[in-house]
Amino acid sequence: MSVTVFLFYFLSVLALGSAIMVVISRNPVYSVLWLISTFFAISGHYILMNAQFIGIVNLIVYAGAIMVLFLFVIMLMNLNAESEPKKNKWLKLAGVVSGGCLLLVMVAALKSAEVKGELVQVKEGEIGLIENLGKALFTDFVVPFEISSILFLSAMVGAVVIGKKGD
Amino acid sequence: MQITLLAFDWFFLVEKLVLIIGIISVSLVIAMYETWAERKVAAFIQDRIGPNRAGPLGLFQPLADGMKLFMKEEIIPNTSNRMLFILGPCLAMMTAMMTSAVIPWGGTLDLFGRSIPLQITDINIGILYIFGVVSMGVYGIMIGGWASNNKFSLLAALRGASQVISYELPMGLSLIALLMLTGSLKMSVIVGQQLDGWYNVLWQPLGFFIFLVCAFAECNRTPFDLPEAENELNFGYHQEYSSMKLGFYLFAEYINMFISSVIMSTLFFGGYDIPFVNDAHLVESWGNWAVLLQGFCLFAKTAMFIFLFMWVRWTIPRFRYDQLMNLCWKRLIPLALANMIITAAIVLWLKK
């Protein structure tokens, strides 16, 4: 068992374990913190696959910025396990059924997927390194890249417009 | 199955471990003496003497302070969230330490027939790594402030977090302009270019200024120390903390100050370059001593920035909160964007 394989299993267990904890934690603040640890584990996987740029950007954008906003909102709403309203039994059952359906669809989709049976490429491939990624983004994929930047710009303008409404 | 876990380079592991322990203890000691220096600088600026009882020139004052913090009673408020309450200062300390991993502290030492670079890891996303760690620094403040279960602490934590997130943007934008010039995110390459040529601050004076202001804000130092505004928020996000947990928060702040000074000297002031001297020749003739001298030069540059931090603290009063946000979003970000566009245009024009 080489170090890489060991790291792979460790990160997988960490990712799955914390993802489960996100769902079953009673306190929403704990859920957010477990979600952050899930992001860390996934970034670790990216780095194992030699996609360093995506790994670190995942941390900066999701764990560092978006989750902070989540934490803001949840801390200010002051949700507690005690103040949580009792949920209807039928609602719980419906939740279980729909969750099970999603699992079914995912298993079916993965079973027929092409990547099935292929091992993950660890420490291989150069495309994830920042220089190659930049070249690919600005030459081969420049049109989708620019279109997505326009999407972000419009989202930003929208946020400013909503924020200005009060004045 | 054979145990091949043992198959890696043990010398490498030991070497890195020694380096990590060394760097962490050095930053702890420097953080300790920063508290002493801060008092001395404050005393000098306010025409006082400052600490002079414990040891010569009051040099043992930090030890006495540390002792006092250790001896104090550890109080965890009854209503607070125990685990997160402890996690807060731990996170603050950890993120403060982690940044030092990618900084080149000196050239390459030759010991026991091995060449040992004085850098823990030279990843090719060095600067992004620093950003990642800096953006994690918010959690220490937020978790601590929330777990204290105190309205003032929560308010201070929210202030601190929004301040840090806001100032990360101009910081990143000012670095983009720098990266256009260097063409690499590796810290060793950025320093290497400055070893041979001019320091980056000559090409990027505006970028450096923006970075400096943002570094002040990221460290929660005056004039940006609104999370600790004692006239509005009692004591800020660490109000409920006592003993060494409080000490960790305060210590993390000083380590952050040290690390951001190191980053500024590395990115803009040539890192471990010995000024006015051809480093390569010196390393050839002096060997390891020249490498140590390089490390010393980095620390001298860092000390200069730490003094600047303190000078500003005892000179400029605190901003109001709306002034803080206006400065970031209406002044620094447009300025950084303009700097970026002008740099890009010039780089393109020169390369033609």
Side-chain angles (χ1 to χ4, degrees), chain A residues 14-91:
Chain A
L14 187 67
L16 290 175
S18 12
I20 290 169
M21 286 306 288
V22 174
V23 183
I24 63 175
S25 295
R26 302 288 290 181
N27 191 333
V29 172
Y30 282 142
S31 290
V32 173
L33 295 179
W34 280 116
L35 191 54
I36 293 165
S37 100
T38 315
F39 283 135
F40 265 92
I42 290 173
S43 280
H45 275 299
Y46 282 135
I47 290 169
L48 272 190
M49 289 186 268
N50 225 5
Q52 298 172 348
F53 181 71
I54 299 176
I56 200 78
V57 164
N58 184 37
L59 282 189
I60 295 174
V61 174
Y62 284 94
I66 293 179
M67 291 327 281
V68 172
L69 294 181
F70 269 53
L71 213 55
F72 258 156
V73 174
I74 287 172
M75 281 178 176
L76 284 180
M77 288 204 301
N78 212 5
L79 299 169
N80 285 319
E82 297 95 58
S83 65
E84 201 180 301
K86 266 267 185 217
K87 286 190 185 80
N88 196 339
K89 242 182 213 161
W90 290 104
L91 220 59

Side-chain angles (χ1 to χ4, degrees), chain A residues 89-108:
Chain A
K89 242 182 213 161
W90 290 104
L91 220 59
K92 280 185 189 167
L93 190 70
V96 170
V97 169
S98 50
C101 288
L102 182 65
L103 184 72
L104 208 69
V105 172
M106 270 170 69
V107 169

Side-chain angles (χ1 to χ4, degrees), chain B residues 77-279:
Chain B
N78 217 356
T79 47
S80 78
N81 195 323
R82 217 185 144 81
M83 213 174 72
L84 292 185
F85 191 76
I86 297 171
L87 187 69
C90 297
L91 273 180
M93 200 69 177
M94 204 174 77
T95 48
M97 293 289 196
M98 268 166 66
T99 329
S100 59
V102 292
I103 293 167
W105 299 90
T108 313
L109 274 179
D110 266 320
L111 278 184
F112 313 120
R114 282 179 72 107
S115 52
I116 302 169
L118 287 180
Q119 185 180 15
I120 295 172
T121 166
D122 192 18
I123 45 181
N124 65 8
I125 45 168
I127 289 184
L128 288 176
Y129 171 85
I130 290 175
F131 265 103
V133 177
V134 166
S135 62
M136 292 301 124
V138 188
Y139 288 114
I141 297 178
M142 278 194 85
I143 290 173
W146 181 77
S148 301
N149 206 0
N150 174 330
K151 292 265 186 317
F152 287 122
S153 301
L154 182 63
L155 269 178
L158 292 182
R159 270 187 181 185
S162 45
Q163 173 183 326
V164 171
I165 295 178
S166 307
Y167 276 84
E168 250 168 50
L169 293 174
M171 196 181 214
L173 289 174
S174 71
L175 276 187
I176 287 177
L178 177 73
L179 295 179
M180 281 175 194
L181 295 179
T182 60
S184 172
L185 281 86
K186 257 190 184 177
M187 299 295 269
S188 59
V189 173
I190 293 174
V191 175
Q193 288 169 348
Q194 296 178 80
L195 283 183
D196 307 329
W198 297 94
Y199 288 174
N200 282 333
V201 68
L202 289 178
W203 312 121
Q204 281 293 321
L206 184 60
F208 167 68
F209 181 70
I210 295 168
F211 192 88
L212 183 74
V213 173
C214 295
F216 275 86
E218 298 275 330
C219 293
N220 293 330
R221 292 285 296 186
T222 333
F224 303 102
D225 63 342
L226 281 143
E228 292 158 37
E230 65 273 10
N231 49 355
E232 305 157 25
L233 296 169
N234 291 339
F235 195 34
Y237 56 89
H238 40 47
Q239 192 189 357
E240 300 284 341
Y241 284 89
S242 63
S243 184
M244 211 46 213
K245 289 209 278 299
L246 173 68
F248 267 27
Y249 268 127
L250 302 181
F251 233 65
E253 200 185 307
Y254 280 100
I255 294 175
N256 273 332
M257 205 165 98
F258 167 60
I259 295 282
S260 44
S261 301
V262 172
I263 291 171
M264 275 189 282
S265 9
T266 305
L267 292 180
F268 291 99
F269 279 83
Y272 55 79
D273 176 46
I274 306 170
F276 314 118
V277 174
N278 190 335
D279 278 45

